Amino acid sequence: MKRVIAIADRAASVSLKLLVALNVLFFLSFLAMLLVATGRAHAEIPACTGTDMLSALRDSDPAAYRKIEAEAAATPNGKGLLWKLEKPGEAPSYLFGTMHMSDPRVTTLPAAARKAYDAAGTIVIETTEVLDQQKMMAALFKEPDLMMFTDGTTLSSLLSPGDAAMVNKALDSRGIPPATVAKMKPWMLSAMIALPACELARKASGAPVLDVKLAEDAKASGKLVEGLETVADQLRAMASLPLAFHMKGLVDTLKLGDKVNDINETMIILYQRGDIGMFWPLFRAATPEDQEDPAGYAAFEEAMITSRNKVMVDHARPILARGNAFMAVGALHLPGADGLVEDFRKAGYTVTAIN
């Protein structure tokens, strides 16, 4: 089948997986702090750019577009952001899929979600540590190897001279002095590079991602705020994958260049439509089958989504037992046979999509 994908060139699956991973991890909210610490954060917020890859694909390769649509349609629970959780003896609660971004299109709740959020007595997010950056960093510094190389290793020492020069150039263009991140683990650096300039600038100016906004508003209104993980838990998930995987992902993400804007724009558009089951089919279609690594893909999905979903359900149970909770987690955790919607059903809940 002819493959004409708007993100072009044969971008490696590793970089695409990492870009998606950034939207199931919640540690991004302190990237602004890291940028501000360099003293070179953007003074002004640039306009967001990027085009909808799916619209381009629909026009250029209808057969490929239909294949993506068919795979998304076959994904269990692939449509909808808001789900009602019901169990005998418990007051109903709600599960809502978020994007960990500060884009106004994301941070404005749909009407049904706003109604459920306003009525909830408890707001649950992935981790409450991001609400207190000093406490969060203190916790992370107990395990510094999750963020930094603690031996003689540097990022440059793991890269070819050409790739090292490309990384340094990309950092300079983002106002990040390479020397300040020379000891940073590649997954931390990938998080900065994979976000559009407008999103980085918003974070640097203090704009909260959706999850943080929900939690801060809840605290201000006297609601109880609970978390399901720690930031260290999330970083351990990233660290569990091979270092070579992350280094290749860093380089391949850089090679995407401005196409990162298209990927993020497309994800926001899909998110607004509630088409969360279309994320993975779209990105899988961007990589020819002969470059796909089934074992690596399975390890990635297990570490970043499936295993964490099970932990989230276990930690959510006592909170949901009190009833009237609004649980907001990354939307990519919801769909699929091993997604949170199915996991909660397995845990005895009746789970219903709310349009």
Side-chain angles (χ1 to χ4, degrees):
M1 179 182 72
K2 180 183 177 184
R3 291 185 178 275
V4 183
I5 304 291
I7 59 172
D9 351 83
R10 295 160 62 88
S13 61
V14 172
S15 63
L16 294 173
K17 289 172 187 173
L18 283 175
L19 286 168
V20 176
L22 299 182
N23 285 286
V24 296
L25 287 178
F26 195 23
F27 68 87
L28 289 180
S29 57
F30 73 84
L31 283 180
M33 180 186 64
L34 294 176
L35 289 172
V36 171
T38 68
R40 294 176 61 185
H42 292 284
E44 297 181 0
I45 298 176
C48 294
T49 61
T51 59
D52 180 6
M53 297 188 301
L54 274 176
S55 293
L57 182 63
R58 184 174 53 238
D59 296 336
S60 63
D61 193 345
Y65 179 82
R66 287 194 297 270
K67 183 177 180 181
I68 292 172
E69 276 196 318
E71 187 177 344
T75 300
N77 315 308
K79 184 73 174 179
L81 297 175
L82 183 65
W83 301 76
K84 190 174 184 179
L85 305 175
E86 298 176 283
K87 195 173 189 179
E90 298 179 4
S93 291
Y94 291 87
L95 171 66
F96 179 69
T98 68
M99 274 189 86
H100 306 321
M101 299 187 73
S102 62
D103 189 295
R105 292 171 293 175
V106 171
T107 57
T108 302
L109 286 179
R114 169 55 64 182
K115 181 178 179 181
Y117 172 86
D118 288 342
T122 302
I123 305 302
V124 186
I125 60 175
E126 290 179 28
T127 173
T128 57
E129 288 181 327
V130 294
L131 302 178
D132 187 330
Q133 291 186 345
Q134 288 187 337
K135 288 178 64 176
M136 179 184 67
M137 294 308 295
L140 285 175
F141 279 129
K142 294 179 181 178
E143 298 182 69
D145 57 322
L146 291 177
M147 298 186 298
M148 312 291 289
F149 291 110
T150 54
D151 53 16
T153 304
T154 63
L155 279 170
S156 295
S157 71
L158 299 172
L159 296 167
S160 69
D163 285 343
M166 181 173 64
V167 169
N168 289 341
K169 181 179 180 180
L171 291 172
D172 278 330
S173 70
R174 289 164 171 79
I176 305 170
T180 65
V181 296
K183 301 287 288 183
M184 188 175 287
K185 288 291 178 72
W187 47 87
M188 302 289 290
L189 195 54
S190 291
M192 295 186 204
I193 291 172
L195 289 175
C198 59
E199 179 69 14
L200 280 174
R202 277 196 300 263
K203 291 180 185 298
S205 70
V209 299
L210 172 57
D211 313 64
V212 171
K213 185 176 186 298
L214 294 176
E216 289 179 340
D217 290 350
K219 289 182 68 176
S221 63
K223 297 179 187 287
L224 182 65
V225 178
E226 302 260 16
L228 301 173
E229 300 177 298
T230 67
V231 173
D233 289 335
Q234 296 190 347
L235 289 177
R236 287 189 202 105
M238 289 291 273
S240 70
L241 297 166
L243 181 59
F245 173 96
H246 290 295
M247 293 305 298
K248 180 171 176 54
L250 173 61
V251 173
D252 288 341
T253 300
L254 285 170
K255 288 179 180 178
L256 286 174
D258 290 341
K259 298 180 184 69
V260 164
N261 296 322
D262 297 337
I263 293 172
N264 280 277
E265 178 65 16
T266 304
M267 292 183 74
I268 290 174
I269 290 171
L270 289 175
Y271 177 77
Q272 285 185 293
R273 296 189 339 216
D275 285 333
I276 57 177
M278 196 172 277
F279 284 119
W280 285 117
L282 171 65
F283 292 123
R284 277 198 291 265
T287 305
E289 285 91 352
D290 61 356
Q291 290 193 8
E292 189 59 69
D293 173 12
Y297 181 87
F300 172 86
E301 194 165 17
E302 175 66 27
M304 301 310 306
I305 301 179
T306 305
S307 293
R308 292 176 58 219
N309 284 352
K310 297 185 186 309
V311 172
M312 287 184 186
V313 171
D314 287 343
H315 290 178
R317 281 181 173 181
I319 301 172
L320 297 178
R322 301 197 301 263
N324 197 30
F326 183 93
M327 183 166 64
V329 300
L332 283 169
H333 287 285
L334 273 58
D338 295 310
L340 281 178
V341 172
E342 284 303 311
D343 281 350
F344 275 116
R345 286 180 177 143
K346 293 171 187 174
Y349 287 86
T350 298
V351 187
T352 308
I354 305 297
N355 297 321

